[in-house]
Amino acid sequence: MAKKEKQASNVVAVNRKASFEYFIEERIEAGLELQGWEVKSLRAGKCNIAEAYVTIKDGEVIMLGSQINPLKTSCAFVVSDPTRTRKLLLKRREIDKLTGSVQRQGYTLIPLKCYWKGSWAKLEIGLCRGKQEHDKRDSIKDREWARSKERIMKKNFK
């Protein structure tokens, strides 16, 4: 028998502002608890996590502010709320570790990327620390220097 090949993960949504606004200390993969119409909408790429955030309430990790727009064909008979709170699926030790980091050390939980891993919808969460204004200016300076370096190297090797 032939071995199963790993399927490439299909990225549905990326939070691009997160790496500019926060220092990302650690990345954690969590499952998403979704309804049927949400799964179909994710397959179609109708997801936005730019304004979303993650919080821990009553020992459960939930995502607020994300938007999964329903397809017109898939949810005709279901009342769909695009911005409902969605539960994230993590192990108890991971939840306890995140709770300690958020409460004691002042970290923030930010959704970074939503993607498919095989047939499972996954969300990458970042354990983040906020950047100050001078840190953001340093990030812009480094990014522009890397761009100009690429231009110079490309120009010299032509």
Side-chain angles (χ1 to χ4, degrees):
M1 273 207 228
K3 289 185 180 180
K4 280 188 178 179
E5 291 183 23
K6 286 189 177 179
Q7 294 178 349
S9 63
N10 300 326
V11 176
V12 178
V14 177
N15 189 352
R16 292 175 163 225
K17 284 182 8 182
S19 62
F20 182 71
E21 297 286 332
Y22 300 96
F23 290 114
I24 300 169
E25 303 289 329
E26 188 177 344
R27 295 171 186 263
I28 299 137
E29 182 181 75
L32 278 167
E33 187 178 274
L34 300 172
Q35 296 177 350
W37 66 269
E38 292 173 325
V39 174
K40 290 182 179 184
S41 295
L42 273 183
R43 291 255 183 234
K46 304 270 185 182
C47 180
N48 184 10
I49 59 170
E51 299 297 322
Y53 62 96
V54 176
T55 186
I56 301 170
K57 187 184 286 186
D58 299 331
E60 292 183 344
V61 182
I62 57 173
M63 179 173 58
L64 302 163
S66 66
Q67 194 169 20
I68 298 178
N69 294 324
L71 296 174
K72 289 181 178 30
T73 57
S74 68
C75 61
F77 59 91
V78 178
V79 177
S80 56
D81 181 18
T83 58
R84 74 176 187 92
T85 59
R86 293 171 180 88
K87 185 177 171 184
L88 301 181
L89 307 173
L90 290 167
K91 293 185 178 179
R92 175 58 48 198
R93 283 190 181 179
E94 292 174 324
I95 294 173
D96 293 341
K97 180 182 173 190
L98 291 177
T99 304
S101 297
V102 169
Q103 288 179 349
R104 287 184 217 102
Q105 299 171 356
Y107 284 103
T108 306
L109 296 172
I110 303 293
L112 302 175
K113 181 171 45 171
C114 183
Y115 57 94
W116 290 100
K117 187 173 186 180
S119 62
W120 302 99
K122 299 288 184 176
L123 184 74
E124 186 176 87
I125 307 168
L127 188 62
C128 305
R129 209 170 21 97
K131 283 186 182 179
Q132 294 179 350
E133 196 63 37
H134 61 86
D135 295 325
K136 292 178 188 177
R137 284 194 294 264
D138 291 341
S139 297
I140 292 170
K141 193 186 305 182
D142 293 341
R143 185 176 60 219
E144 288 179 357
W145 169 241
R147 243 187 239 150
S148 63
K149 210 169 28 171
E150 284 292 322
R151 285 188 197 123
I152 292 169
M153 294 299 285
K154 190 175 181 181
K155 182 178 163 185
N156 287 340
F157 286 113
K158 275 193 170 181

